[in-house]
Amino acid sequence: MTTTEAVTPEIRANRITRSMLGYGVLAGPLYAGVSLAQALTRDGFDVTRHAWSLLSNGSLGWLQITNFILTGLMVVTAGVGLTRAGARWTGRLVAVFGLSMVAAGLLRADPAQGFPAGTPDGAGVVTWHGVGHLVAGAVGFLCVAVAAWLSPVLKPYSRVSGTLFLLAFIGIASGASSPLVVLGFVAGVLVIFAWLAVVSIQRYRRLPCD
C-alpha cells in the first residue's frame, strides 16, 4: 500500500501509536546520558554519594531541570502509546511516572550533602519545592514499579525489573547515602528505563503498519 487512499484508519492509528512507543526507547538514554555527563563533569558532584536530582542546583541546574521535563514528556507519550497498544494499566501508570518526572523538574530538589559546592554537608534546608520533588518522585517510582508488575508483556522479565527497581528505591528512600545505596539506585533507574524500552519495542513490533 503506497498511496494515502490505501491507508486504513487502523493502520494510520497504529503508525501514530508506534511513533509514541518510540519515545519509550529514547527516554532512558536521554535521561541517563545527560545525567551521567553532568555527574562526571560538575564540580563537587560525587557519583557514589549524590543523587542525580541534586544536579538541578547550581548555575547549570537548568540542564537537569530540562532533562527531567523532556524525559518526563517522552515517558508520558510512551505511556499513552502502551495504553493504545493494549497494555492499558501499564501504560496509564507509566504516564503517571512521566508526569512525576515533569513535576520533579519543576519542583527543584534542595541542595544537600555538600552539593553544589559550598552547601553544608548533611540534609540542609528543607523547602516546599524540595518536599514536592520528593513526593513527586515517590509517587512516580511506585507507579512505574507497579506498572512493571502489571505488565502483560514479558511477565517474568517485567516483574523482576519492577522488583529490582522497587528495592533500589526503598534503599535510597531510607536516607542512607552509602556508595552501595546510591549506585544501587542508579542501577535501578537504568533497569526500569531498559524495561520501558523493551516493552515499548515489543508492543511496537506487534502493531501492523502497512
Side-chain angles (χ1 to χ4, degrees):
M1 299 180 183
T2 58
T3 65
T4 303
E5 291 76 16
V7 177
T8 66
E10 180 182 2
I11 293 300
R12 189 176 295 110
N14 285 346
R15 289 177 177 176
I16 294 172
T17 301
R18 292 182 80 177
S19 296
M20 290 179 169
L21 292 171
Y23 287 104
V25 179
L26 298 174
L30 172 67
Y31 181 69
V34 173
S35 296
L36 286 173
Q38 294 180 84
L40 296 174
T41 58
R42 295 276 302 272
D43 183 39
F45 193 90
D46 185 346
V47 294
T48 67
R49 186 182 178 211
H50 297 134
W52 288 352
S53 290
L54 294 179
L55 291 167
S56 296
N57 295 287
S59 60
L60 295 176
W62 64 270
L63 288 171
Q64 189 66 354
I65 292 171
T66 303
N67 191 23
F68 269 121
I69 294 173
L70 289 181
T71 302
L73 293 174
M74 286 184 168
V75 173
V76 170
T77 303
V80 175
L82 288 170
T83 301
R84 288 166 60 104
R88 293 183 180 179
W89 276 107
T90 296
R92 291 167 182 168
L93 290 168
V94 165
V96 174
F97 172 51
L99 290 173
S100 79
M101 291 194 71
V102 174
L106 297 174
L107 300 169
R108 180 172 50 85
D110 290 322
Q113 298 174 322
F115 186 84
T119 301
D121 201 12
V125 177
V126 178
T127 65
W128 64 269
H129 55 79
V131 173
H133 180 91
L134 294 174
V135 171
V139 171
F141 294 152
L142 290 174
C143 282
V144 75
V146 174
W149 259 86
L150 294 179
S151 175
V153 182
L154 304 173
K155 287 185 179 181
Y157 167 70
S158 293
R159 290 183 177 181
V160 169
S161 298
T163 300
L164 290 176
F165 178 73
L166 184 60
L167 291 174
F169 168 58
I170 291 172
I172 201 76
S174 69
S177 58
S178 69
L180 180 62
V181 171
V182 174
L183 293 178
F185 183 66
V186 170
V189 169
L190 297 179
V191 164
I192 207 65
F193 272 115
W195 166 80
L196 178 59
V198 169
V199 297
S200 295
I201 291 171
Q202 197 271 355
R203 287 285 159 168
Y204 179 100
R205 289 176 173 173
R206 289 183 58 182
L207 292 172
C209 66
D210 51 33

